[in-house]
């Protein structure tokens, strides 16, 4: 059964005044990261809308988000345990793992995609004399290889680096780091020549003059860095990718709770103050309904599956 149909299949009735106790949102990444920022902003606004019932963000980092996803998939289907899911956990992992401890299509019900996030190709101006993608490609062709940092094997930035290489006719060597700080350290030291970083991470470093943004990966320019052209604008029409974060629930959560959650999450993220804070952090606020989110997950599973297949990568 597909994600979009999961909610409709659940006939159980929810408690009439849900929620009547605190709700937990599991996040598969550490405090202070992009997913954590999104989850906490959503949690705060949901709590306000639920008469300050309380929404707890529970960070369960590790294994690229698989630890968190495994726990969320096994949680009681009562609406009191949710997960802030992301592209890697729900659309990339099915192709990059031979055996997952959960099934994204069967174990989760999509509630609402909250935000999407473009990536920015960053270089260290002290090491790489390029101001745009074409200059970077030309310079790289004169080097012994293209070494691209990633924030972990199997992440969107990892496969995005290969998509970039395909678009510009180069073969990058992915250098996997355990954290964003380590990856940026490799960029500053010159151990790697570039990295695809989220807009939220890229913008402060670019505005401070520490790093140069050569191009962004979205369909349109990002509001956080409006002067940075997209890579597509620079002539690479087949290169566009982004990641996203959204709320999911265990698949057997009753349909009426799913519907209430979806409506409340959409209202929360589209409220003026929360929307502004999310945009300031470099995200595009989407706030989709359940069916729209299901279609996004399914479509991206195909898109990223092709990227994973092209690299031959397997995480296990």
């Amino acid at each position: 059964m597909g994600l979009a149909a999961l909610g409709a299949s659940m006939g159980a009735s929810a408690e009439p005044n849900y929620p009547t106790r605190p709700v937990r949102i599991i996040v598969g990444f550490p405090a202070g990261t992009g997913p954590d920022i999104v989850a906490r902003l959503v949690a705060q606004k949901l709590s306000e809308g639920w008469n300050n019932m309380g929404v707890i963000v529970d960070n369960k980092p590790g294994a690229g988000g698989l630890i968190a996803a495994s726990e969320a998939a096994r949680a009681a289907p009562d609406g009191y345990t949710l997960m802030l899911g992301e592209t890697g956990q729900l659309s990339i992992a099915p192709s990059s793992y031979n055996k997952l401890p959960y099934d994204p299509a069967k174990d989760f019900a999509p509630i609402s995609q909250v935000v999407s996030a473009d990536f920015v190709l960053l270089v260290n101006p002290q090491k790489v004399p390029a101001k745009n993608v074409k200059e970077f490609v030309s310079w790289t062709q004169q080097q012994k290889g293209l070494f691209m940092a990633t924030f972990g094997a199997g992440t969107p930035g990892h496969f995005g680096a290969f998509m970039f290489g395909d678009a510009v006719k180069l073969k990058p060597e992915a250098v996997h780091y355990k954290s964003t700080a380590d990856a940026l350290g490799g960029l500053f030291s010159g151990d790697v020549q570039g990295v695809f970083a989220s807009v939220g991470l890229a913008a402060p470093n670019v505005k401070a003059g520490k790093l140069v943004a050569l191009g962004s990966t979205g369909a349109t320019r990002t509001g956080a860095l409006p002067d940075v052209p997209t890579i597509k604008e620079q002539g690479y029409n087949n290169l566009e990718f982004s990641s996203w974060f959204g709320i999911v629930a265990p698949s057997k959560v009753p349909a009426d709770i799913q519907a209430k959650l979806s409506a409340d999450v959409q209202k929360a993220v589209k409220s003026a103050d929360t929307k502004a804070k999310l945009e300031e952090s470099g995200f595009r606020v989407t706030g989709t309904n359940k069916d729209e989110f299901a279609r996004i997950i399914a479509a991206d599973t195909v898109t990223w599956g092709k990227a994973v297949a092209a690299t031959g990568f397997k995480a296990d």
Side-chain angles (χ1 to χ4, degrees):
M1 183 180 295
L3 278 162
L6 280 169
S9 70
M10 300 302 154
S13 176
E15 56 185 272
N17 298 315
Y18 169 87
T20 58
R21 53 188 170 88
V23 173
R24 179 172 65 130
I25 300 177
I26 299 176
V27 179
F29 302 90
T33 59
D36 178 71
I37 291 170
V38 172
R40 291 182 187 278
L41 288 172
V42 173
Q44 178 182 350
K45 185 56 65 171
L46 283 175
S47 180
E48 291 173 8
W50 292 339
N51 296 316
N52 297 313
M53 178 58 64
V55 181
I56 302 163
V57 174
D58 188 4
N59 299 92
K60 299 281 186 176
L66 267 64
I67 293 173
S70 298
E71 180 172 335
R74 297 192 303 268
D78 54 12
Y80 288 95
T81 298
L82 310 174
M83 182 178 77
L84 185 82
E86 53 86 41
T87 313
Q89 293 163 305
L90 300 177
S91 287
I92 295 178
S95 296
S96 58
Y97 284 83
N98 289 309
K99 187 176 181 180
L100 273 178
Y102 62 93
D103 185 332
K106 294 180 179 179
D107 292 341
F108 293 109
I111 300 301
S112 174
Q113 184 197 63
V114 175
V115 296
S116 64
D118 298 336
F119 292 87
V120 177
L121 176 57
L122 297 177
V123 298
N124 178 358
Q126 304 301 317
K127 303 290 184 179
V128 178
K131 299 297 184 183
N132 55 54
V133 175
K134 289 185 177 179
E135 288 182 1
F136 179 63
V137 171
S138 178
W139 176 82
T140 301
Q141 289 172 337
Q142 309 305 314
Q143 310 306 307
K144 294 182 179 180
L146 171 58
F147 295 91
M148 295 288 290
T150 84
F151 301 138
T155 59
H158 172 198
F159 298 116
F162 282 94
M163 293 167 69
F164 173 75
D166 185 61
V168 302
K169 310 304 180 187
L170 293 170
K171 187 175 182 179
E173 183 72 32
V175 181
H176 304 303
Y177 290 90
K178 292 183 178 180
S179 70
T180 56
D182 290 341
L184 292 182
L187 198 62
F188 285 122
S189 68
D191 292 337
V192 292
Q193 293 132 334
V195 64
F196 279 103
S198 66
V199 172
L201 178 64
N205 286 285
V206 172
K207 291 177 180 178
K210 297 178 180 179
L211 298 172
V212 171
L214 303 184
S216 60
T217 65
T220 59
R221 296 190 185 195
T222 172
L225 293 170
D227 295 331
V228 177
T230 67
I231 295 176
K232 290 181 68 174
E233 278 184 80
Q234 299 179 60
Y236 302 96
N237 296 326
N238 60 338
L239 187 65
E240 177 186 330
F241 64 92
S242 61
S243 65
W244 42 255
F245 305 122
I247 298 295
V248 297
S251 60
K252 293 183 180 179
V253 166
D256 44 359
I257 289 184
Q258 290 187 33
K260 176 175 173 53
L261 280 168
S262 184
D264 289 352
V265 171
Q266 291 176 66
K267 181 179 179 181
V269 301
K270 292 179 180 178
S271 63
D273 55 342
T274 300
K275 184 174 185 289
K277 290 175 182 176
L278 287 167
E279 290 176 342
E280 287 171 6
S281 297
F283 300 105
R284 297 179 191 271
V285 175
T286 51
T288 71
N289 63 35
K290 293 174 73 281
D291 292 342
E292 290 170 329
F293 191 20
R295 286 192 289 270
I296 291 167
I297 294 171
D300 278 4
T301 299
V302 174
T303 298
W304 287 105
K306 292 178 181 177
V308 173
T311 66
F313 171 82
K314 286 295 178 182
D316 54 4

